[in-house]
Amino acid sequence: QVQPVESGGGTVQPGGSLRLSCVVSGDKYSLYSMSWFRQSPGKQREGVAGTDAEGSTCYASSMKGRFTVSKDNAKPTLYLQMDNLKPEDTGIYYCAADPRARLCSTQSHEFGIWGQGTQVTVTS
């Protein structure tokens, strides 16, 4: 079973960058689709970006540009590179997995395997 563990969160000033990592256990991780979500204070959980098992990427429309998702099958690790961060990016970022190899989705209901999340705070 895949067990995601997120890391890389922290506090950064507006305009700064962070790279989040999602390390997963499981022998068949390379066959899973993986995605990032976030929960900001006072807002519903929203999709950020994801990858399928082949490395194809998909993004929520509002996330394309400043955020970049990638997967390293050798480690294995899912990454989220976040640049030009803004205060509204503050929240808990979650990594989620699904065994469907060809799923690339930013819809939370598609995923049943979730990590604990990592806190991102953007403030001056």
Side-chain angles (χ1 to χ4, degrees):
Q1 178 76 302
V2 172
Q3 295 178 303
V5 179
E6 304 94 335
S7 64
T11 301
V12 65
Q13 293 183 339
S17 298
L18 286 172
R19 189 173 78 160
L20 306 184
S21 298
C22 176
V23 178
V24 299
S25 63
D27 188 48
K28 297 186 182 300
Y29 164 80
S30 63
L31 300 180
Y32 279 61
S33 296
M34 305 284 292
S35 291
W36 290 98
F37 299 83
R38 71 182 183 186
Q39 181 77 57
S40 299
K43 297 182 179 180
Q44 293 182 317
R45 181 173 295 179
E46 61 181 340
V48 178
T51 71
D52 66 11
E54 297 180 349
S56 297
T57 61
C58 54
Y59 294 84
S61 60
S62 62
M63 307 297 173
K64 184 68 174 180
R66 297 186 296 117
F67 294 0
T68 304
V69 66
S70 61
K71 185 192 298 182
D72 184 341
N73 287 332
K75 296 192 178 181
T77 306
L78 183 75
Y79 298 101
L80 182 67
Q81 178 67 42
M82 305 188 295
D83 297 315
N84 192 24
L85 285 163
K86 303 176 181 180
E88 53 263 42
D89 295 320
T90 294
I92 303 174
Y93 284 70
Y94 297 92
C95 178
D98 185 88
R100 289 171 288 180
R102 298 173 66 180
L103 175 69
C104 193
S105 175
T106 55
Q107 299 296 313
S108 61
H109 68 85
E110 298 278 9
F111 296 87
I113 305 171
W114 294 81
Q116 289 286 99
T118 184
Q119 177 71 43
V120 171
T121 303
V122 184
T123 180
S124 61

